[in-house]
Amino acid sequence: MSKKWRKLFVAFILLFGMWNGAVAAASVPDGLRDAKHLPYGYIGSLKDGYAYFCNYGRDGDGLCGFIDSEGNIAVPAKYDGIDSFAEGLAPVSIDEKWGFVDAKGHEVIPPAYDNVSQFSEGLAAVERDGAWGYIDKTGKVVIPFTYE
């Protein structure tokens, strides 16, 4: 499949996901997951100019990263878990710990939390050792870990 057609395919998947209003857009059917011409096994909805993808079935690694609105890889697939961008940062996990990356793939807040939410109004709820608190975009704790 030519690069032009592959980009059109990715654009269609992204637009279809937005049109459907789906949180996790379109999944490639099982029978097509191992096809050499498909670059991703799963693509999430486009949000803030980026969509997450996961390599389910492609190499068998199941790792996730981000593509931009033209289908170019913005953040390479190296994360076990991933969520959409919000306020310029996206939650990612490695070895069951969560942190945040920017659109260039820099780990702005290294994976150190058991669970996280997306940023909203400059803060993200994060869980550590069963307690929840809030951090800012630099990773500074602004509301202590006192909530269960």
Side-chain angles (χ1 to χ4, degrees), residues 86-90 98-102 106-113 116 119-126 128 134-143 145:
E87 298 188 13
L89 296 176
W98 288 86
F100 294 86
V101 296
D102 64 17
H106 300 120
E107 288 182 357
V108 177
I109 300 169
Y113 300 102
V116 299
F119 275 91
S120 176
E121 299 184 30
L123 300 177
V126 294
R128 185 174 57 198
Y134 281 84
I135 59 172
D136 66 15
K137 291 184 179 184
T138 67
K140 179 184 173 191
V141 176
V142 293
I143 298 176
F145 292 91

Side-chain angles (χ1 to χ4, degrees), residues 2-40:
S2 74
K3 193 172 187 176
K4 175 184 173 184
W5 286 107
R6 183 172 45 192
K7 282 189 174 186
L8 279 170
F9 175 75
V10 170
F12 173 77
I13 295 291
L14 293 173
L15 289 172
F16 178 76
M18 290 186 329
W19 176 73
N20 261 345
V23 172
S27 179
V28 176
D30 288 339
L32 298 176
R33 284 190 178 162
D34 293 326
K36 298 270 185 218
H37 64 278
L38 291 177
Y40 321 110

Side-chain angles (χ1 to χ4, degrees), residues 14-90:
L14 293 173
L15 289 172
F16 178 76
M18 290 186 329
W19 176 73
N20 261 345
V23 172
S27 179
V28 176
D30 288 339
L32 298 176
R33 284 190 178 162
D34 293 326
K36 298 270 185 218
H37 64 278
L38 291 177
Y40 321 110
Y42 183 87
I43 301 173
S45 296
L46 188 65
K47 186 172 180 194
D48 288 353
Y50 299 92
Y52 61 84
F53 70 91
C54 297
N55 288 327
Y56 300 131
R58 180 175 175 214
D59 297 323
D61 60 11
L63 298 178
C64 305
F66 286 94
I67 57 173
D68 64 20
S69 60
E70 295 183 13
N72 301 309
I73 293 178
V75 178
K78 67 176 191 176
Y79 297 102
D80 302 322
I82 202 162
D83 201 352
S84 299
F85 275 92
E87 298 188 13
L89 296 176

